[in-house]
Amino acid sequence: MKSGKLIKYLNVILKFDERLRLVEQLISVSDQENKMQSISSNEKCKSCYNKIDFAQLFYVLMDEGLLFFDTADQKSNRSKFQFFLENNFTYAGDEGGQSKIKSISRQFSECKGYTYKVKQIKFLDEFIAVMQGRKRRLESW
């Protein structure tokens, strides 16, 4: 075999080897992501808030446009937001333990309604107090 053909075949083999390594890396990264996804999909983020306060927190963040899924369609955004919360969070239940969020639609509706304005103002005052306390701690470092 001539040296030119030998070099050509060696190049083909080396390129094939490089591609195999790239595929292996992709698979191992993909496997790690899948493992992380399965861990995170089984475990939910817990909240110290009761269900209505939990809903108020996220409703305000959504309503003010700080967190969103779909800025073009308000109804779709709210629906996706509720679905996300129901599948990824728990709230502080009445008996002290964490409770699954089966549906948060009613609580989101309460956040929107005029009837619950006083409740929302009270929640916001408490939340602002917590944030101001944090700001003071940071300023005193």
Side-chain angles (χ1 to χ4, degrees):
M1 187 181 297
K2 293 185 180 178
S3 65
K5 281 190 174 186
L6 182 61
I7 292 172
K8 183 180 173 184
Y9 288 125
L10 284 173
N11 278 337
V12 168
I13 290 170
L14 289 173
K15 286 183 181 176
F16 181 72
D17 187 53
E18 283 178 41
R19 281 189 236 134
L20 279 177
R21 272 189 249 155
L22 284 172
V23 169
E24 285 174 347
Q25 286 177 341
L26 287 173
I27 289 171
S28 66
V29 167
S30 178
D31 283 346
Q32 288 173 346
E33 287 175 356
N34 287 339
K35 286 176 187 170
M36 286 304 292
Q37 222 171 18
S38 69
I39 289 168
S40 63
S41 66
N42 292 332
E43 187 174 359
K44 295 182 185 253
C45 183
K46 296 160 185 65
S47 170
C48 64
Y49 285 123
N50 63 32
K51 194 173 183 182
I52 186 62
D53 287 345
F54 176 82
Q56 288 187 81
L57 171 67
F58 281 97
Y59 185 86
V60 167
L61 295 172
M62 178 196 73
D63 201 40
E64 294 300 323
L66 299 173
L67 298 176
F68 56 88
F69 286 95
D70 185 351
T71 57
D73 184 347
Q74 230 179 2
K75 189 175 181 180
S76 170
N77 187 55
R78 177 179 162 154
S79 176
K80 288 176 182 178
F81 216 92
Q82 289 176 192
F83 181 77
F84 176 76
L85 296 176
E86 291 164 0
N87 288 292
N88 292 289
F89 289 88
T90 60
Y91 66 94
D94 295 334
E95 295 152 18
Q98 291 292 303
S99 297
K100 290 181 180 179
I101 302 171
K102 295 176 185 146
S103 173
I104 201 159
S105 181
R106 192 186 98 222
Q107 287 75 19
F108 261 47
S109 294
E110 289 177 9
C111 294
K112 189 176 184 177
Y114 177 77
T115 311
Y116 298 94
K117 180 175 111 175
V118 173
K119 223 179 202 181
Q120 194 170 122
I121 290 170
K122 181 180 181 235
F123 169 79
L124 288 170
D125 285 340
E126 291 169 359
F127 185 74
I128 289 167
V130 170
M131 294 298 109
Q132 286 174 335
R134 181 176 182 88
K135 182 181 176 189
R136 281 190 298 278
R137 284 192 310 275
L138 288 171
E139 289 172 339
S140 68
W141 275 5

